[in-house]
Amino acid sequence: MRLALALAARARGRTRPNPMVGAVVVRQGRVVGAGFHRRAGAPHAEVLALRRSGPRARGSTLYVTLEPCAHFGRTPPCVEAVVNSGVRRVVAAMTDPNPRNRGRGLKKLKARGLLTRVGILEKEARRLNEPFINWATLGRPWVTVKVGQSLDGKIATRSGASRWITSPAARRWSQALRSQADAILVGSRTVLLDDPELTIRGAGPSRQPIKVILDSRLSTPVTAKIFRSKTPVILAALATAPQRRAAVLERAGAQILRLPGRGGRPDLKALLKELAKREVTHLLIEGGGEVIASALKAGVVDRMIFVIAPTVIGGREAVTSVEGDGVERPSQALRFREIVVGRFGPDLVVTGYVQRHR
């Protein structure tokens, strides 16, 4: 199963909206076939592993990181391929969280006489596919917030300058993080001040994440670098945003998404539902401080990553990583679980999952 999980992870960031899945066929203690799902529409991991096994699959055990599917989607159901291969036993790390298939695949395999087992390395399998599980069960993307800041929590100087606070090593790692996301979200102020491209350097067009700009009044300039590539650009605006301005931006290549307001800004929960309809399973929020504060207040953030440079910027007017009103008492502070601390060059990287309040 560990081999199957390692194979599945090789497609990280490429299978949207499908999960990452790996499969290994074992006969008499030897691996006779293996495969992983590479992208939506491509053969599933089980099918590839069984093809490579050929007749050696008969009487074997199939290890797969996710319950084989029993429904027609972009590809035929894997259950039939498993049964027809002659596999004797199927071991799945976890059941499929998708309501369309949850438990059906294993049930059909049992009905056809195969032995089944589920729950082997389930925690690892669920961690691998957190975005897909979120999308399939909650109807919204998994949300990661990434912040590059100084030791004193600043993401820009008092003049708004932010290039560069973190080291080249940390920025290279940030590119890898982007490659795991289906979409990147920033606020319009970040676009105005930094003019980012929001792309993955060195990646082909099929690997580039969707660009999402939280832009209440459609203030994004048509000359912004986000319009230079063919990657979709979504401007999330208030319903009252100027129609004439929308027409100008649409000619530049933007998709205008008008949303209900909350606190004078587009409602983030409504935005996430719309992104889920567009098969966005993992959203990466990169700033700025007001956008991050809004996302935390809305309760939509699942994980935060702080990249902390060994510098102090200071200044009352310098932008902090989380703006907004904040909390009144320390007991109200947002808390995290499963904290991991690492380093990239001179910078510290602190990752944690948001602790939900019961």
Side-chain angles (χ1 to χ4, degrees), residues 75-87:
T75 59
C78 292
V79 165
E80 294 303 318
V82 174
V83 171
N84 294 335
S85 71
V87 164

Side-chain angles (χ1 to χ4, degrees), residues 104-323:
R104 291 181 59 205
L106 293 171
K107 185 176 180 179
K108 286 192 173 185
L109 291 172
K110 288 180 182 178
R112 301 288 285 273
L114 277 72
L115 301 174
T116 63
R117 185 178 177 185
V118 65
I120 304 300
L121 298 183
E122 181 174 359
K123 182 179 180 180
E124 291 86 343
R126 296 185 71 86
R127 177 59 55 87
L128 179 71
N129 276 312
E130 287 166 328
F132 173 75
I133 294 170
N134 222 60
W135 180 73
T137 59
L138 300 180
R140 71 164 179 83
W142 172 264
V143 177
T144 297
V145 169
K146 193 272 291 183
V147 179
Q149 65 172 52
S150 61
L151 280 172
D152 56 337
K154 307 295 185 180
I155 62 174
T157 66
R158 64 187 182 190
S159 67
S162 61
R163 295 186 176 179
W164 295 101
I165 292 176
T166 57
S167 67
R171 296 199 297 275
R172 285 193 296 271
W173 172 81
S174 294
Q175 291 291 308
L177 179 64
R178 281 185 177 182
S179 72
Q180 300 174 20
D182 302 325
I184 300 175
L185 170 69
V186 298
S188 57
R189 188 169 186 269
T190 296
V191 175
L192 291 170
L193 290 176
D194 297 343
D195 197 17
E197 293 186 53
L198 300 181
T199 56
I200 307 167
R201 287 189 290 274
S206 62
R207 295 283 311 283
Q208 296 295 344
I210 296 169
K211 305 167 187 180
V212 185
I213 314 301
L214 205 62
D215 190 355
S216 300
R217 302 298 299 168
L218 296 176
S219 59
T220 298
V222 294
T223 56
K225 290 179 181 178
I226 56 172
F227 295 117
R228 291 185 180 179
S229 68
K230 295 181 179 179
T231 309
V233 177
I234 296 175
L235 299 183
L238 291 171
T240 55
Q243 184 57 46
R244 184 176 298 179
R245 184 65 187 158
V248 171
L249 288 163
E250 285 174 336
R251 286 195 292 272
Q255 301 174 26
I256 309 300
L257 189 59
R258 294 181 179 273
L259 298 167
R262 183 176 291 273
R265 297 172 177 271
D267 187 336
L268 282 173
K269 288 184 177 179
L271 172 60
L272 292 186
K273 287 183 179 179
E274 291 298 326
L275 292 177
K277 293 177 184 177
R278 290 163 170 76
E279 298 185 335
V280 172
T281 64
H282 186 185
L283 176 67
L284 176 63
I285 298 179
E286 291 194 349
E290 292 290 348
V291 171
I292 293 171
S294 297
L296 291 171
K297 186 176 181 179
V300 299
V301 178
D302 299 293
R303 178 179 64 162
M304 290 195 74
I305 303 174
F306 291 87
V307 183
I308 307 169
T311 59
V312 172
I313 291 175
R316 286 184 294 273
E317 296 179 6
V319 183
T320 60
S321 55
V322 182
E323 294 277 282

Side-chain angles (χ1 to χ4, degrees), residues 92-110:
M94 60 177 287
T95 56
D96 192 339
N98 189 335
R100 294 178 61 192
N101 192 57
R102 188 182 301 145
R104 291 181 59 205
L106 293 171
K107 185 176 180 179
K108 286 192 173 185
L109 291 172
K110 288 180 182 178

